[in-house]
Amino acid sequence: MRDATPQTIYLSDYKPFGFDVTSVELTFDLAPNTTRVRSKIAFVPREGTEGTFFLDGKGLKLISAAIDGVAISPDLTPEGLTCAVPDHPFLWEAEVEIDPENNTALDGLYMSNGMYCTQCEAQGFRKITYYPDRPDVMSVFTVKINGQHPVLLSNGNPVTSHQGYAEWHDPWPKPAYLFALVAGDLVAVPGAFTTKSGRDVALNIYVRPGDEGKCTFPMQAIKDSMKWDEEVYGREYDLDIFNVVAVDDFNMGAMENKGLNVFNSSAVLASQATSTDENFVRVEAIIAHEYFHNWTGNRITCRDWFQLCLKEGLTVFRDSQFTSDMRSAPVKRITDVIDLRGRQFAEDQGPLSHPVRPESFQEINNFYTATVYEKGAEVIGMLKCLVGDEAYARALDLYFDRHDGQACTIEDWLQVFEDATGRDLTQFKRWYSQAGTPRLTVKDAWYAGTYILTFTQNLKPSATTPDPKPQVIPIVTGLLAPSGEEIVPSQVLELTEASQSFTFEGLSERPIPSVLRGFSAPVVLESELAENHTAFLLAHDTDPFNRWESGRSLAKASLLDMIRTGADPDERYLDGLLAVISDASLDPTYRALMLGLPSQSDLATALHDAGDTPDPEAIWAATEAMRRAQAQHFKGILPGLFADHQVTEPYVPNADQSGRRSLANAALSLLSRLEGPERAQNQFDQADNMTQQLAALSILLRENAGDNALKSFEGQWKDDRLVMDKWFGLQVMQAAPQHAAATAAALTEHPDFNWKNPNRFRSVFGTLAGHHAGFHAAGGAGYRLLADWLLKLDPVNPQTTARMSVAFQTWRRYSAERQDIVTAELDRMLATPDLSRNTTEMLTRIRGKE
């Protein structure tokens, strides 16, 4: 049967739990279908608490329960239990039985290829034992594990272990969502780190036998993260041991459990042969993110799940800073903005829009969104921009000192900044409560030495924000002379009104403004500046982000013209881009990014916003035409770019080599449009690393010359699950739009398509959803195929199903024929009697009427 009618939880209804938990002792007797969990929990009633309490519990078989040694019979429901309790401190004891092997939802305690693993965020601990499963209940945990496995792990420091038994103690109070247990036949790859105070920390990455060779890079990333957090934030690690485990079946990227981080294998394992440069960057960033949670999420956690952005937004911001320091800050900023616009802006503009801090939810797992994470990080970045680096550092020190060991709110966070800086952040707080992407219009005026910039906020009501108010928007701006010289360096213009002007005086000639440098606020900027303004900035801007942005804006304008009128590509864009990619003084990675085009989904959004109905096939055709035009326009320098940026020294996944490979592969992709697949075939045959091999295979498939290479790749990598994910996804990605759904359907018949594994499912259907023209191809084959598979997956793994359903969120922007097909599919899914609560909520919001 369908889950019970979803209950809406409201932030305004928050009440503290009526009991403190002073200690938790858990004993596990592991068995695939009959794991026993015995709990001893010390409760202390708070003043005014009534004589009953409720403990969360789901899918548990209660064997026994007792209070202070006296057996009791609590009232059980599918969501937990209720019983009478003393009005003084007492010891709760319970024994339950659970079935990890059949827990295909991959939350709570489950099994992955014979290995026991946990995932408790957000509400998985209630599937392990009865407990107040909420983040504001923090306690010290002791865990005892009985099981016939070589490795038995939990949080904190090891106490004792022998064959079939291990005991762990975590001295730092934590909420239940940070609990972790891992047991299995694993191999430890060891390392060590000495903290700035001289403490020695043992490091281990636990992997399946055979994966030891993929741990060198992640181990160094752990050490780099620990050192960076000490140097930049003054945060030192606080346990004797830090363990990381690679798990094949995992719904998310990784989890920051205290002292025992559990990672999706794809987010931690990396080697030259099996991982691309992009994979290495991702692994480094995710390792940093989970490690940084030790302080921003673990030592200081969130009071309730409405405050999720407090830990996630701050930690995403911190891991972005880390990557910027480890690699290229401009490149990191550009890639972050590409991701923000591709995922979060789409979320803001559709039926799934919600504030950074939501006011309500039905299923919390559905709010692990780009808005909470990426926009939440942008809000932190704006705050730092407004107060300055020094004040930001003071505020963070105060935050750690004041709130260590606490479960906090956005109000606590902002109060720290007010106390540290003296600023009133009442208006800034609207970034946490107002949904949607602000739109700014900028225009200028010149009066004999005085230059005026006027910004206007477009305050458009929405379902979640019916009465929007002006927000504080930091607009980093510089002024350039017509010669290209910077005459006014970057400064922060603080927009607080619906419309506001900023004046620059004493100028000898009319300047050219460089506005929103570094993308200093997550807004859509609509310019009423001079027509040649963007082309000038592409040629001369000293801010690397805005130079890239200018190229992207010219490309977007040209593509939209091509889509609407069939026009030729804009020569100004091609000429300006040629000058940039020819500039050897620029970072190769940056030059490769400059060659990128706006996503086809981004173009569809722009067309829809302008009142047009996007045609996915026309968008795809225009994008392909622009690629061919780039190849033709740059043909004189492409062979040199390709040759000059070959890496001949031994492979290292650092910024320098990665940049050279990215530019060489971008040149190869364009060259192949002119010359055919021979160069790509040569690279595929000679490649000694996955970056070069996969780039060449992608080109061969695009040029319809990849059948032999595809078979060779499969034969080489059929036993490596992560590389085979790439093999599956690449075929869908490079399929012609009219064949994308059929290609995905055919891949589901492959014997290695394990649809219950989230990585493999996403490799096919996540890629199909991201193939804009393929997913939205006329006839609706992509829509129907995805709906069929979501219905198949939902009873097995509701979390992954609900997250994958986001593919349908933009359906209202397309033609009436497409809308009719999507409507039918959404209604078909919603009519399924046993649809999970997770998926029901997502589809209901997506289906909702405007």
Side-chain angles (χ1 to χ4, degrees):
M1 295 181 61
R2 182 193 294 268
D3 284 352
T5 301
Q7 178 185 2
T8 301
I9 310 299
Y10 295 94
L11 171 60
S12 58
D13 291 340
Y14 170 82
K15 293 180 181 178
F17 187 58
F19 303 81
D20 291 321
V21 178
T22 57
S23 67
V24 177
E25 181 182 301
L26 301 173
T27 301
F28 288 81
D29 297 327
L30 297 177
N33 303 115
T34 55
T35 289
R36 290 290 180 98
V37 184
R38 298 188 298 278
S39 59
K40 295 181 180 180
I41 307 170
F43 287 98
V44 178
R46 292 183 175 180
E47 185 176 351
T49 297
E50 298 178 0
T52 61
F53 76 165
F54 173 80
L55 299 182
D56 298 293
K58 192 170 183 179
L60 307 175
K61 179 181 178 181
L62 181 64
I63 306 300
S64 63
I67 293 178
D68 289 336
V70 178
I72 62 168
S73 298
D75 296 327
L76 301 179
T77 74
E79 299 298 324
L81 62 77
T82 304
C83 66
V85 296
D87 59 1
H88 55 74
F90 62 92
L91 181 67
W92 162 268
E93 295 178 85
E95 183 173 2
V96 303
E97 184 177 283
I98 56 179
D99 183 359
E101 190 167 54
N102 288 308
N103 180 8
T104 59
L106 309 184
D107 62 346
L109 178 66
Y110 66 92
M111 298 193 74
S112 172
N113 296 326
M115 178 174 74
Y116 291 88
C117 181
T118 55
Q119 171 54 33
C120 292
E121 187 177 357
Q123 297 177 336
F125 192 78
R126 64 191 61 191
K127 292 185 174 183
I128 294 175
T129 193
Y130 289 102
Y131 194 77
D133 190 7
R134 44 190 289 168
D136 60 344
V137 175
M138 303 174 71
S139 185
V140 172
F141 279 64
T142 298
V143 178
K144 302 175 181 179
I145 310 170
N146 297 298
Q148 297 306 309
H149 305 277
V151 172
L152 302 170
L153 305 173
S154 191
N155 306 88
N157 294 319
V159 176
T160 186
S161 66
H162 51 76
Q163 179 63 39
Y165 176 80
E167 181 176 341
W168 294 79
H169 177 69
D170 187 353
W172 300 101
K174 65 174 179 284
Y177 82 84
L178 291 172
F179 169 79
L181 180 151
V182 171
D185 182 9
L186 298 169
V187 178
V189 177
F193 182 81
T194 301
T195 68
K196 64 179 181 180
S197 65
R199 292 179 54 252
D200 292 328
V201 179
L203 309 177
N204 293 290
I205 300 177
Y206 284 91
V207 298
R208 294 187 183 280
D211 284 336
E212 299 93 326
K214 300 177 182 179
C215 295
T216 301
F217 180 84
M219 180 60 76
Q220 186 59 49
I222 293 171
K223 297 175 185 178
D224 291 341
S225 301
M226 298 176 83
K227 185 172 187 292
W228 185 91
D229 211 19
E230 289 182 345
E231 292 176 348
V232 178
Y233 278 84
R235 299 299 102 195
E236 186 174 325
Y237 189 63
D238 51 7
L239 291 169
D240 299 332
I241 191 167
F242 180 64
N243 290 326
V244 168
V245 181
V247 179
D248 289 344
D249 298 285
F250 204 71
N251 283 330
M252 297 180 286
M255 180 61 206
E256 70 267 18
N257 317 294
K258 183 72 178 182
L260 178 56
N261 286 189
V262 178
F263 276 69
N264 186 314
S265 297
S266 68
V268 66
L269 301 180
S271 72
Q272 169 183 340
T274 61
S275 307
T276 65
D277 290 332
E278 290 79 7
N279 294 150
F280 279 102
V281 174
R282 177 174 181 262
V283 164
E284 184 179 65
I286 294 178
I287 284 174
H289 180 94
E290 305 308 332
Y291 175 75
F292 296 157
H293 265 313
N294 188 61
W295 278 91
T296 52
N298 296 2
R299 289 282 288 260
I300 305 177
T301 192
C302 47
R303 186 196 70 177
D304 52 72
W305 291 119
F306 296 100
Q307 321 295 330
L308 181 60
C309 62
L310 177 63
K311 76 180 185 78
E312 294 300 348
L314 177 55
T315 306
V316 169
F317 179 72
R318 279 165 29 85
D319 80 54
S320 292
Q321 288 182 294
F322 170 78
T323 300
S324 295
D325 287 348
M326 296 296 293
R327 295 179 180 267
S328 162
V331 166
K332 175 58 176 170
R333 189 60 186 141
I334 290 167
T335 56
D336 280 352
V337 172
I338 290 172
D339 181 62
L340 183 79
R341 288 172 171 166
R343 299 193 304 119
Q344 198 281 319
F345 279 22
E347 200 166 84
D348 257 351
Q349 294 160 3
L352 300 180
S353 176
H354 62 87
V356 173
R357 181 171 68 178
E359 296 294 323
S360 65
F361 64 79
Q362 293 179 354
E363 172 53 63
I364 184 55
N365 286 307
N366 290 339
F367 278 91
Y368 282 74
T369 63
T371 297
V372 167
Y373 280 67
E374 277 69 39
K375 189 173 181 179
E378 293 295 318
V379 173
I380 305 296
M382 285 189 291
L383 188 55
K384 184 173 183 288
C385 181
L386 288 168
V387 304
D389 294 350
E390 184 180 341
Y392 174 82
R394 289 200 313 272
L396 265 293
D397 286 342
L398 179 59
Y399 179 64
F400 294 126
D401 290 343
R402 179 180 291 178
H403 294 297
D404 186 13
Q406 297 179 12
C408 296
T409 65
I410 294 301
E411 285 74 16
D412 295 325
W413 165 255
L414 293 178
Q415 187 63 54
V416 161
F417 274 83
E418 290 189 335
D419 293 347
T421 67
R423 289 182 63 110
D424 182 349
L425 295 175
T426 303
Q427 185 181 10
F428 183 83
K429 187 180 175 182
R430 291 173 187 164
W431 279 103
Y432 287 101
S433 60
Q434 293 190 172
T437 304
R439 290 180 173 269
L440 295 185
T441 300
V442 57
K443 60 183 180 180
D444 64 348
W446 169 253
Y447 301 102
T450 298
Y451 183 67
I452 301 172
L453 282 171
T454 300
F455 296 91
T456 301
Q457 299 189 40
N458 181 3
L459 305 173
K460 183 180 179 181
S462 67
T464 50
T465 308
D467 184 26
K469 299 291 194 300
Q471 295 176 232
V472 180
I473 301 177
I475 306 171
V476 177
T477 300
L479 300 181
L480 303 175
S483 64
E485 177 189 1
E486 185 166 88
I487 54 176
V488 175
S490 293
Q491 57 183 265
V492 180
L493 308 181
E494 192 170 330
L495 179 66
T496 58
E497 306 295 333
S499 184
Q500 195 169 345
S501 296
F502 300 88
T503 300
F504 303 85
E505 297 180 334
L507 303 176
S508 60
E509 54 188 337
R510 182 171 187 149
I512 295 88
S514 173
V515 176
L516 204 68
R517 285 184 158 182
F519 202 65
S520 55
V523 301
V524 173
L525 183 64
E526 298 168 341
S527 175
E528 296 182 7
L529 303 175
E531 183 179 354
N532 65 346
H533 170 262
T534 306
F536 177 88
L537 294 182
L538 175 59
H540 299 290
D541 205 333
T542 55
D543 179 73
F545 177 86
N546 268 14
R547 194 175 189 187
W548 170 84
E549 178 82 306
S550 298
R552 180 58 63 102
S553 296
L554 286 173
K556 186 173 182 178
S558 180
L559 282 163
L560 292 174
D561 198 26
M562 294 165 67
I563 294 164
R564 290 177 175 131
T565 69
D568 292 330
D570 186 346
E571 291 289 326
R572 295 178 308 161
Y573 162 66
L574 294 172
D575 288 341
L577 186 55
L578 177 60
V580 173
I581 64 172
S582 301
D583 187 348
S585 69
L586 296 175
D587 177 2
T589 310
Y590 179 78
R591 292 152 75 189
L593 280 171
M594 291 293 294
L595 283 167
L597 294 176
S599 72
Q600 294 176 46
S601 180
D602 187 21
L603 294 170
T605 299
L607 290 164
H608 179 262
D609 289 347
D612 299 327
T613 299
D615 179 348
E617 284 89 349
I619 295 172
W620 181 83
T623 302
E624 286 295 293
M626 181 64 84
R627 287 293 186 202
R628 291 191 295 271
Q630 284 184 334
Q632 190 64 35
H633 205 80
F634 308 150
K635 63 182 180 181
I637 69 164
L638 289 175
L641 283 180
F642 177 68
D644 294 344
H645 291 86
Q646 295 299 311
V647 179
T648 57
E649 58 266 35
Y651 179 92
V652 180
N654 59 18
D656 172 64
Q657 283 197 17
S658 299
R660 284 186 279 158
R661 281 188 288 268
S662 67
L663 185 54
N665 284 330
L668 177 62
S669 181
L670 292 176
L671 270 173
S672 298
R673 294 179 181 272
L674 299 174
E675 302 175 350
E678 184 177 351
R679 288 180 192 258
Q681 185 66 58
N682 289 338
Q683 178 167 306
F684 180 84
D685 294 339
Q686 299 171 14
D688 67 350
N689 63 81
M690 183 54 63
T691 301
Q692 301 301 83
Q693 189 178 27
L694 202 67
L697 179 58
S698 179
I699 293 168
L700 291 172
L701 290 174
R702 188 197 69 203
E703 297 297 316
N704 297 313
D707 288 349
N708 291 335
L710 196 64
K711 291 176 184 177
S712 171
F713 191 91
E714 180 185 13
Q716 181 182 2
W717 297 113
K718 61 183 179 181
D719 296 325
D720 191 298
R721 58 209 180 276
L722 297 180
V723 177
M724 285 301 290
D725 287 337
K726 297 176 172 65
W727 183 85
F728 276 91
L730 195 60
Q731 294 176 73
V732 180
M733 182 190 307
Q734 290 300 343
Q738 66 271 25
H739 301 311
T743 299
L747 286 169
T748 65
E749 300 297 325
H750 192 281
D752 288 337
F753 180 69
N754 176 10
W755 59 274
K756 294 181 180 180
N757 176 266
N759 289 350
R760 189 56 49 87
F761 190 90
R762 286 189 289 255
S763 73
V764 173
F765 291 106
T767 305
L768 176 63
H771 190 317
H772 182 261
F775 182 60
H776 297 289
Y783 303 149
R784 284 186 282 269
L785 180 66
L786 180 59
D788 287 344
W789 278 92
L790 291 180
L791 286 175
K792 184 173 183 177
L793 182 65
D794 185 67
V796 173
N797 189 330
Q799 282 190 40
T800 297
T801 306
R803 287 172 183 162
M804 288 293 298
S805 70
V806 171
F808 291 105
Q809 70 177 324
T810 60
W811 66 283
R812 290 186 181 274
R813 66 164 66 140
Y814 298 101
S815 65
E817 293 79 7
R818 289 181 172 87
Q819 290 189 40
D820 288 344
I821 298 170
V822 174
T823 300
E825 294 306 308
L826 293 174
D827 289 345
R828 175 167 72 97
M829 288 187 283
L830 284 167
T832 303
D834 55 354
L835 200 67
S836 70
R837 183 171 64 188
N838 305 58
T839 305
T840 297
E841 180 188 19
M842 292 296 283
L843 294 179
T844 300
R845 292 168 64 198
I846 291 170
R847 178 66 177 88
K849 296 180 180 179
E850 291 181 334

